[in-house]
Amino acid sequence: MISNPIRETIRIMPRGNEEIAGLLQEYAELLQITGGDPFRTRNYEKAAKSISGFSGDAGQLDEAGLQKIVGVGKSIAAKIVECQLSGVFTQLSELRAKVPEGVRAMTRIPALGPKHAFQLYTELGISSVDELSDAIAEGRLRDLKGFGARSEEKISRGIELVRGLDQRTPINVAAEIADRIVAVISAVDGCERCQYAGSLRRFMETIGDVDILAAAADSAPLMAALLAMPQVQSVIASGDTKTSVRISTEQAGQPGSIQVDLRVVPADCWGAALQYFTGSQAHNIAVREIAVRKKLKLSEYGLFEAESGDLITSATEEEIYARLGLDFVPAPMREDRGEVQAAARHEIPALVSLAEILGDLHSHTTLTDGVASLEEMVSAARAKGYAYFAVTDHAPNLFMQRMTIEKMLAQREQLHKLESGQAGNGATPMILLHGTELNIAPDGSVDWPEDVLAGFDLCIASVHSHFDQSRAEMTRRFRFACENPQVNIIGHPTARRIGKRAGVDVDFAELFRACAETGTALEINSQPQRLDLPSDHLRAARDAGVKFAISTDSHAVGALDLLRYGVGTAQRGWLTPDDIINAWPLERLREFLAA
DNA sequence: GCCGTTTTCGGCCCGACTGTTTTCAGTCG
């Protein structure tokens, strides 16, 4: 029998981080539903999140290694190891037998939590969202203790909401809505400050709800302004300090909606409120625990002496962190993934900022699938004040793009003319780089022969097909592409489409090694439906010695503005300008591309 | 269940809003 070299490298793969995290999360939820100790529940949730964001492969670790992960102690480590070895998680199986899967699904309904879901199951035998819907229609909830007509109504609305697809909103759609609301609220008489906070300020890739914070002595006119917006579909809650509504989102004609929370505070506690309202919840808990240990109390109203209740500070976030002995933590880092400890050790890195990006390294024109001409793209890039700009149209193997070597060479000539044409008008000229986006074939090869590739200033190589290869094949495919001396950057490495297509299955540790060894950068693609490489992988890649290119992959002039989402993603991955090749001056960039 | 320049035991963030309640539990962030 002929041996298959790929097959031989496959071992029985242990469960990956996400799978382990999923089991722990499920166990936490089932514990909560069955009324388990809330602190234990919180711990399992924390361990799940911690493993989900862990940069190594938790499935490869023994008990001692697992316990080094924050939130994982003796007991959870033992459960994970047992699960890896025997495939059995006894306590989880026991709870699964007590709580049908449908009951857990019921807790996803807004306004229906674990306690009521379990009550509905034990007292009425309701064990799915559909059964719950029927029970409400039959009026069976009314006689239940703790339920009434209003709760029936809220749960009914919640069921409609969960049945609608795509509950989380892309970051750019949420940002547009947030900007509009901030403009409306800011214009109200008496509004002293207004900005968005929450997951949007932290640059999460999708947004569950939009959090708006405002400062005013009298909250009523601000709340009224929000309620009067024509996009408001329904009011979830409305009080003196907080109003929650659902607002419609139009995405390419698709109906949708998102929850918006408006919180109004007095101006003098702005910093404390912004810190609180930005989250994440896990970060806030970690920070508040530090406050408690110092005999202080932190809330959205300020930092107080625990004993006397005297206010210490509340005006700015910086003062609050400083008073707790912490470095200021930039919002995108606030996920309780080690940043609080880093802040205590005064090791918060100087994150890359939008202003430090000197050029965009991935763009398309009408020569392939862009909708703006070369001249339009270049002039838009110049308007951004970039020091350099790369045009990287698709290569021939993406057949529908009908690229040829002749078209490519003609574009290069046009590009050189454009570049020389700008001399003499006084301003520092923007350097134009001629590049291409190659297609990584299933075997790892790319479109053009090496001598053709050598004519480009830069080559991106991306996976555009055969997404379902096995991990071993995919990993070998990437390594082969990295080893091509002409390939400088791997484009949108996981090839995921957020909410639509999962990323390819690749051994990330091996990919990072290959990139580091060959001097190949990984792209952080700024398209909101990509955000790829995802932020969760960035720290591991950087620790392996990988450099990154933050690019927009623009197919239109307006898309150049998407760079901020790529920068936000890089900030979530703790990256500094030194990690980002397009934050470097042209000379250093050229050296990297030539190496 | 985790964690510790106060602790290996005894804590574990904090507050707003709602609905069904005569004082509070549940949900949410």
Side-chain angles (χ1 to χ4, degrees), chain A residues 169-195:
Chain A
T169 305
I171 186 170
N172 57 323
V173 175
E176 269 174 41
I177 288 164
D179 286 340
R180 202 176 309 154
I181 297 169
V182 167
V184 167
I185 303 294
S186 300
V188 176
D189 257 0
C191 176
E192 295 171 59
R193 304 184 77 160
C194 183
Q195 80 169 74

Side-chain angles (χ1 to χ4, degrees), chain A residues 58-123:
Chain A
Q60 306 269 22
L61 300 176
D62 59 10
E63 283 193 36
L66 284 164
Q67 284 186 62
K68 294 205 176 78
I69 300 174
V70 183
V72 178
K74 207 171 155 81
S75 170
I76 293 181
K79 285 192 175 72
I80 293 172
V81 168
E82 190 202 341
C83 199
Q84 298 288 24
L85 293 178
S86 65
V88 177
F89 185 166
T90 314
Q91 292 87 342
L92 177 60
S93 305
E94 283 169 8
L95 282 184
R96 278 179 177 170
K98 277 170 80 174
V99 184
E101 176 60 27
V103 175
R104 202 170 142 236
M106 282 158 57
T107 65
R108 308 254 183 280
I109 300 168
L112 185 63
K115 295 285 178 294
H116 281 154
F118 198 55
Q119 186 190 359
L120 288 168
Y121 173 59
T122 51
E123 295 183 22

